[in-house]
Structures are given as structure tokens and as C-alpha cells.
Amino acid sequence: MRTLLWKELREQWRSYRMLVVAAVLVAMGILGPLTARYMNELMASIPGTPEGLEAVLPAPTVELAISELVDNLAQFGLILALLVPMAAVVGEKSSGTAALTLSKPASRGIFLLAKLLALLITFAIGLAMGVASGYAYTGMLFTWLPVQGFGVLAGVLLLYLLFYASITLLASTLMRSQLAAAGLAFGLALLLGIVGTIPALGSYSPSALLGWGRAAANGGTADIPWKALTAALVLIPGLWLVGWAALRRQEL
Amino acid sequence: MSAIRIEGLRKAFNKVQALDGLSFDVAPGTVFGFLGPNGAGKTTTLRILAGLARPDGGAAWVAGYPTGPESPARSLIGYLPEEPHFYAWMTATEFLRDYVAGLFGLPAAEARRRTAELLERVGLTDAARRRIAGYSKGMRQRLGLAQALINRPQVVLLDEPVSALDPAGRKDMLLLIDELRQTTAVLMSTHILDDVERVCDTVGIIDHGRMVALDEREALLARYATPSLEIEFRAEAAPVDAWAATLRRVPGIAAATADAAVVRVRLQAADAGDQKVLGLAVASGMPVERFEHARPTLEDVFLRLVGTQTEAA
């Protein structure tokens, strides 16, 4: 396990994936409070802007800054969670490196688990940096909020992104090309988004976690969305198990 | 106990029967030459032994363990695929010492020592700290052999191990394979029959997924190789070629091929025809430089057993 995880993390680093994830999430962390604070002034400074637009645009408040921060990190993080793992397994199968590794005494389940843990670490680092940037800019531009709330937000976002990364990892295990893996992962994410709009099922959707993170970052309290939390905590290992079962049957 | 035991292996890819009841054993401390035309089932057999593919029927064991994706046999195997692929961003040292040795659970000191030893043995010490992305095909094949040996395996599976090497590299690699027999059973698939003659104790010839010949090398040569003659003329290639063509029509002669001034003649039986061929050579009017019985080669055996099908394919 240690060897496979070392390889995965080293690969994330050498292929600049870890750097890209961190850079994107830091940029989004900064842009959230920045756009909330300066959007009105920016619009007003553009020549020809219709009068009264300022009244339509939301006032720059700390709540808006947190909302922008959460939306940015969740949306761009989701794109990263669909793109970063798409070649993780299918790329190794098609290049032949999976065959070389799995002819050694390495379990196929551990092979997949190492990839999932490497994604967890990559996104944890990226989100820690992104949320820290968001915290700093929110503090500088608005007001300093309790840091614990941002810790909860980072944890919630990590669970949210890891869920989608697990879907992509499964797609990468099942499919025969990177494009097909990305397509399947995107399709499943879209399906989950649609399912999330159904009232009876929405409370189980990972999107339901984001409200909790948003409230925590604002320094308030919100009920823990137990259904969504439980669903994510069950489905992430569940998706790994399905991937393992599929990989065990595959010939390399 | 056999190092490798295969019983009735069957494997089909769609409608193509890659293995059709293949059975054989490889004894410990021997080098087994696994021959066959393209598509005969050699690579499929090696992949099943390495736990990368599953048979549709039959079974295989390595050092007494059944093979499979999670088999403990994988700890005892060294496997070199036909075209080994590596993580191009790693250096050879990282790949061997940190990755492959780690997968086998070698202690750090042993991993360092074994890596240095193998890189030296396959001639990659100078390139050890270079990224594998910059390696030539031959260097990758040498690194592939090094990774197959890092765990001091009981069984080494080599799929075309010297196909990408230059003559010097090939000679060195064959010497290394020859040395392995002291501690290891080697199953080597190859198209290069000379290599099999040089290092293999036992030879198995597979065709259409079935073993068509299996024996110790010398016994196989004695059993299947037909008597051959070589006649060298002091003449131009054209008349020599024309004479070889007339010879093919002579009863008792299986084949006659001309290469410049040398004609190689394959007889149908040991006691049929060498005197007749000598007479015809003298009667041709061309001065005979050399007339001798040629040593039967594995190529003769191979062509006799699977040559017709190969040529047809």
C-alpha cells in the first residue's frame, strides 16, 4: 500500500496535477470574496453601464463573499474531480503499466485504494490552500470570521469533491478510453444533479452538504445534513468496492 | 515438484481459440524455450501464468500455487512482457528501488543493493538517474529484465526478451539468462531460434494453442530434424540457383534452396540421396568447393512442424 501510494503521490506531483488542482482552487478561493467586494464598483466603472444597475446588483456583504467562495470552489472543484482521475486506471491499462504492476504481489483493491487516497490528499491540499486563501481575503476585505467554520467548509468540500472523484475513478476502471471514462463520469454527475432536484431525494445528494459548509463558514450554525453525509460516507467506499469487483474480473 | 505446471489450458478470444488444451511442465533449474508462430498462444500462456488473464478451462500452477489475479504465486514470479511499459516520469533507480522492490516488500537496504546489482548487470548504471522517458527500446527491455529479477524469483517468464536488443546486448542478455538456470526456472518465448539453441535445455513448440513438440533440445533435434546437405560451388549465383531448382524435382529431396553459391538441400530420409546429390553436383559441370552434411537446426524442426501453416498465414 505504501509503495503504491508513494507512486501515486509522486505521479500527481511530477505530472503537475497536484499543482494545477492547488492553483485552481487558490484562484477560486481568492476570486470569491474579491468579486463579491468589487463587482459593484467594477460594473459602475465600465462606461455605458445603465443607471440603477447598482440597485439590482447584490450589496457586497460577507455572506455574499462566502456564497461566492463556496460556489466557486464547488463548481471548479467538480470540474477538477471529473478531469483529474479520468486517466487514473484506464490510462494505466492502455499503456501497459497496470499489467506490469499487477503481475507483482499487489492487490487490485489496494491498487485502486492508493489512487483514491492520492486523490483525497491532492484535493485536501488544494482545498486547504483554496479555503485558506478565501478566509484571508474575506477577512481582509470584509470581516474576520471564526476560523473553525472555514475548517468545516474545507471538510465538507473535500467530501463533496471526493464523492465525484470516486465516480470518475469508477468510470476510469470500467471504460476502455479516457474520453469514455470522462463521458461516463460527466453523465453520472449530471444524473445526480437532476436527481438532487427531486425533493424526496435531494436531501441525500452531496450538494446538500454545501449548505452546511456555507453556514459554518458564515459563523452560524446549521443542522448537519445527516442523510447527505451518510450517503457520501457510504457511497465513496461503495464506489471503490464496485471498482475493485470490476477490476478483479478484467484481463490486463 | 515442477516450477511451472500447465494442464489443459483453454482460452478463446471471441471466435479465435488461442489455447486449445495446452499442457506442459517446466522443471526447476531449466531454461524452457517456448516457440511458435505469431498468434500460436505464447503470450496468452505467459499472461495467464503472470495472473493477468484467466483461462476458460484448465489450470496452471507456479511453484505449486494456482495462478490468478490475487495469487501468492506472483511473489515468486519475475515477468517481462513483450513490450514492457514503465512510468516514464520515474528514473530507473526510482522504478526498481522504490517501486518494484517496494511491491515485493524488499527491505530498504536489500532494495538498494539489488537495484545497483541489477542495473550493473543489465548495463544501465550510467543511465540509472535518467528518466525512463528518454530510454531507447533496447534500454527499456534491459530495464524490463532487471525488474523481472529484483525479487530473486523462482520462476522467470520472458516474452521475447531480446527482440529489441542489438547483437551485443542480445549476447549479454542470453548470458544472463543462461546464468539464471542455477537458481531459477525460465520460460522464454521467442522467435529467434538461434537463441533457443544457445540457452534452452527444453523446447516446446506450440501451434494453434496446442503443443506440437516438446522435448529436450538435443532429443528434439534428433527426432525431428531431417538430414541436410550443404554444397558450395565456385560459380555465379544464377546457374547455382537454376541447379537448385532442378534438384527440387528429384525424388528423395524435400527441399533445395540457393543462397549465392551455396545450396542447402533437405533430404526426405537419412539414407536417401546424399550420394545421388553428390553425383548431380559433379554432373552440373560447376566446380564443387564444399560438400558436407549440415547439422540439423531448430529452424528445420520448427519449419517442419509449423512452417506450412506459418507460410500460409
Side-chain angles (χ1 to χ4, degrees):
Chain A
M1 176 66 190
R2 198 179 59 182
T3 300
L4 287 168
L5 185 58
W6 166 87
K7 175 252 157 188
E8 292 297 332
L9 288 173
R10 186 70 70 96
E11 190 167 27
Q12 299 276 1
W13 179 252
R14 293 254 178 101
S15 64
Y16 303 110
R17 273 178 232 151
M18 200 176 266
L19 199 66
V20 167
V21 167
V24 169
L25 294 178
V26 165
M28 292 304 116
I30 292 169
L31 273 175
L34 210 59
T35 49
R37 173 67 184 79
Y38 293 111
M39 183 55 79
N40 288 4
E41 290 174 33
L42 194 70
M43 294 302 289
S45 69
I46 299 170
T49 304
E51 276 189 32
L53 184 68
E54 289 167 54
V56 180
L57 288 170
T61 61
V62 70
E63 288 79 15
L64 179 66
I66 299 295
S67 184
E68 291 283 334
L69 171 71
V70 175
D71 288 349
N72 282 353
L73 289 175
Q75 286 164 11
F76 282 86
L78 176 61
I79 293 169
L80 291 171
L82 295 178
L83 292 179
V84 172
M86 72 180 185
V89 181
V90 72
E92 289 220 35
K93 283 193 289 185
S94 55
S95 73
T97 50
L100 202 73
T101 296
L102 294 173
S103 66
K104 314 279 183 263
S107 154
R108 295 188 182 200
I110 299 296
F111 178 74
L112 271 186
L113 187 60
K115 290 183 182 296
L116 187 62
L117 287 179
L119 288 167
L120 169 76
I121 292 168
T122 300
F123 280 104
I125 292 169
L127 280 170
M129 293 170 72
V131 171
S133 307
Y135 173 75
Y137 271 76
T138 305
M140 286 187 289
L141 298 173
F142 295 94
T143 183
W144 293 96
L145 293 165
V147 72
Q148 300 93 314
F150 280 79
V152 173
L153 173 63
V156 162
L157 283 168
L158 181 60
L159 200 59
Y160 174 79
L161 296 185
L162 192 63
F163 175 76
Y164 285 102
S166 299
I167 288 179
T168 313
L169 194 60
L170 174 63
S172 184
T173 307
L174 297 176
M175 294 291 113
R176 291 186 177 186
S177 76
Q178 292 184 29
L179 202 61
L184 178 64
F186 182 75
L188 287 172
L190 199 65
L191 186 69
L192 277 169
I194 295 165
V195 167
T197 61
I198 301 169
L201 298 173
S203 55
Y204 291 95
S205 161
S207 304
L209 292 167
L210 298 178
W212 176 30
R214 193 177 281 118
N218 269 312
T221 52
D223 290 339
I224 298 171
W226 286 111
K227 287 179 182 172
L229 187 65
T230 308
L233 290 174
V234 168
L235 284 173
I236 290 169
L239 290 163
W240 166 72
L241 276 172
V242 174
W244 181 10
L247 192 59
R248 271 177 70 91
R249 286 200 306 273
Q250 291 173 6
E251 298 199 349
L252 301 169
Chain B
M1 186 177 65
S2 300
I4 297 172
R5 190 171 142 224
I6 287 176
E7 276 186 15
L9 273 193
R10 290 183 180 279
K11 178 77 180 172
F13 296 102
N14 296 320
K15 288 179 180 174
V16 178
Q17 193 69 38
L19 296 177
D20 191 9
L22 184 72
S23 300
F24 65 93
D25 283 29
V26 178
T30 59
V31 181
F32 186 104
F34 199 33
L35 297 176
N38 291 332
K42 303 186 297 294
T43 295
T44 303
T45 307
L46 293 182
R47 287 177 60 243
I48 288 172
L49 289 169
L52 300 172
R54 280 196 178 84
D56 298 333
W61 294 262
V62 169
Y65 295 102
T67 61
E70 306 281 346
S71 167
R74 292 174 307 153
S75 302
L76 311 171
I77 291 174
Y79 171 55
L80 171 64
E82 186 174 355
E83 285 182 32
H85 294 277
F86 306 96
Y87 300 103
W89 49 271
M90 285 189 195
T91 65
T93 300
E94 284 174 335
F95 180 69
L96 291 177
R97 184 195 60 198
D98 301 336
Y99 192 58
V100 182
L103 291 175
F104 282 106
L106 263 59
E110 166 73 356
R112 275 196 302 275
R113 198 162 48 79
R114 192 77 181 128
T115 297
E117 185 182 310
L118 285 168
L119 286 171
E120 170 76 27
R121 189 64 193 85
V122 300
L124 287 175
T125 303
D126 292 344
R129 294 188 181 281
R130 271 168 49 192
R131 290 209 177 168
I132 300 169
Y135 276 25
S136 69
K137 211 172 167 186
M139 290 167 85
R140 284 168 189 247
Q141 202 154 33
R142 283 187 273 161
L143 180 60
L145 188 64
Q147 64 81 32
L149 300 178
I150 199 146
N151 57 325
R152 301 184 193 279
Q154 287 185 28
V155 170
V156 178
L157 309 172
L158 306 174
D159 198 354
E160 303 284 349
V162 295
S163 59
L165 299 177
D166 57 29
R170 195 177 128 205
K171 186 181 170 194
D172 196 37
M173 201 62 72
L174 289 173
L175 191 65
L176 178 53
I177 293 168
D178 197 38
E179 288 168 8
L180 284 175
R181 89 176 74 234
Q182 292 162 15
T183 53
T184 308
V186 180
L187 175 59
M188 177 173 97
S189 99
T190 179
H191 284 112
I192 306 170
L193 301 172
D194 276 356
D195 295 347
V196 176
E197 289 209 54
R198 277 165 68 178
V199 296
C200 295
D201 313 285
T202 312
V203 178
I205 299 178
I206 179 178
D207 191 27
H208 291 98
R210 291 180 193 166
M211 194 63 84
V212 293
L214 172 63
D215 213 331
E216 289 179 9
R217 184 189 55 207
E218 291 306 321
L220 197 71
L221 288 170
R223 182 146 49 105
Y224 287 100
T226 50
S228 298
L229 302 168
E230 259 186 24
I231 307 113
E232 186 174 355
F233 293 100
R234 201 181 324 126
E236 296 296 316
V240 173
D241 200 38
W243 182 76
T246 62
L247 208 59
R248 282 180 213 125
R249 293 192 288 273
V250 175
I253 291 175
T257 51
D259 180 10
V262 178
V263 176
R264 189 176 173 90
V265 181
R266 190 149 55 84
L267 303 173
Q268 282 172 347
D271 55 351
D274 51 347
Q275 289 303 315
K276 184 161 51 178
V277 173
L278 179 59
L280 290 167
V282 172
S284 71
M286 296 182 285
V288 177
E289 192 87 58
R290 179 168 61 88
F291 182 94
E292 65 184 24
H293 286 272
R295 181 182 176 272
T297 66
L298 207 50
E299 188 175 348
D300 297 325
V301 179
F302 184 82
L303 288 174
R304 182 170 162 195
L305 288 168
V306 298
T308 315
Q309 293 93 318
T310 311
E311 281 155 21

